[in-house]
Amino acid sequence: PQCFASLLLPFSSLKSFDLYQIDNSMTNGYFGIIALIFLVLSLFQKKDGMFWFVLFLSLVCAAASMGGALPVRTFLYKWVPLMNAFRFQSIFRVFFIIGFLLIAAWSFKALKSNYAVNKKKLIRTIRNFFA
């Protein structure tokens, strides 16, 4: 869970390796400040079934990447076939990042297709994000 600070601050996971007790390549979850803005913006847009499916799978992968902090990884390890083949639970962070990037891309597409209407939402989101 401490590694989720790297979503906002990419170099926060590089400071002390003893705190995380894991390989450095597995701690960083940064996927970009622009993608994070579009991810927040997607929460205020019209959603379809595929959005909810990708969001659910991304959140399950985020929970599984926390390892012993939540019981999701243990459940997957014991009951889902081939989930015991992963040595590091933080590999699920990759699927979490891909899902959130996909949601941010959908938000960007919706903004681009109707820019005149969504321009104020984008400016308000950016202003609130950096304030």
Side-chain angles (χ1 to χ4, degrees), residues 13-14 17 22-29 88 90-91 93-94:
S13 61
L14 298 176
F17 297 111
I22 196 168
D23 184 25
N24 182 30
S25 63
M26 298 291 185
T27 60
N28 199 346
F88 297 111
S90 55
I91 198 71
R93 184 173 293 225
V94 173

Side-chain angles (χ1 to χ4, degrees), residues 61-80:
C61 287
S65 71
M66 288 190 205
L70 293 176
V72 176
R73 173 67 176 140
T74 307
F75 174 79
L76 292 175
Y77 186 85
K78 290 182 178 179
W79 296 103
V80 178

Side-chain angles (χ1 to χ4, degrees), residues 17-76:
F17 297 111
D18 298 331
L19 174 68
Y20 301 113
Q21 297 176 348
I22 196 168
D23 184 25
N24 182 30
S25 63
M26 298 291 185
T27 60
N28 199 346
Y30 186 69
F31 59 91
I33 200 82
I34 295 173
L36 192 61
I37 289 171
F38 280 109
L39 182 70
V40 171
L41 189 63
S42 71
L43 299 175
F44 304 108
Q45 293 176 345
K46 188 176 172 183
K47 299 160 187 70
D48 59 347
M50 187 59 81
F51 172 86
W52 292 112
F53 179 71
V54 171
L55 181 66
F56 174 74
L57 285 181
S58 298
L59 291 177
V60 167
C61 287
S65 71
M66 288 190 205
L70 293 176
V72 176
R73 173 67 176 140
T74 307
F75 174 79
L76 292 175

Side-chain angles (χ1 to χ4, degrees), residues 11-13 15 55 82 98 108-109 114 131:
F11 295 116
S12 65
S13 61
K15 188 73 173 170
L55 181 66
L82 296 177
I98 290 172
F108 180 72
K109 180 183 173 190
N114 200 359

Side-chain angles (χ1 to χ4, degrees), residues 109-122:
K109 180 183 173 190
L111 176 82
K112 192 177 98 173
S113 66
N114 200 359
Y115 182 71
V117 174
N118 294 326
K119 180 180 175 183
K120 290 182 183 179
K121 284 183 187 178
L122 177 66

